[in-house]
Amino acid sequence: MISYLKGNIILKNSDYIILEVNSVGYKVFVSENILAQTTEEPGDFEVFCSLRVRKDDTIELYGLPSFEALKLFE
């Protein structure tokens, strides 16, 4: 289970970021509020994560700004 990531944002899209952690890129779906807080400049960015596996073999990683938000999401 992936529950926390800290790394550099290497790409931003309308509903997700790609976060590089130790040379591995994670696609993390995030809210518009989190996207608004991100910058294009390199630097550590951290998210608490919820990994969702669906019956149709889809695996998605959702990023939240705090542990409290993660508990509410789950």
Side-chain angles (χ1 to χ4, degrees):
M1 173 77 58
I2 299 170
S3 58
Y4 172 83
L5 293 171
K6 183 176 183 179
N8 289 315
I9 296 172
I10 59 171
L11 186 132
K12 287 173 46 172
N13 204 329
S14 61
D15 60 348
Y16 68 87
I17 59 174
I18 296 184
L19 190 64
E20 180 186 11
V21 180
N22 294 326
S23 300
V24 176
Y26 294 90
K27 182 178 183 179
V28 183
F29 291 94
V30 294
S31 69
E32 291 179 2
N33 291 340
I34 292 177
L35 281 173
Q37 294 172 8
T38 63
T39 64
E40 297 294 331
E41 297 178 17
D44 282 340
F45 186 79
E46 59 185 7
V47 288
F48 289 85
C49 299
S50 179
L51 181 66
R52 299 295 171 144
V53 180
R54 305 198 189 274
K55 291 181 182 180
D56 64 354
D57 295 333
T58 301
I59 300 173
E60 296 176 327
L61 190 59
Y62 294 92
L64 297 119
S66 67
F67 182 70
E68 292 76 21
L70 176 64
K71 288 192 303 187
L72 183 63
F73 179 79
E74 293 181 333

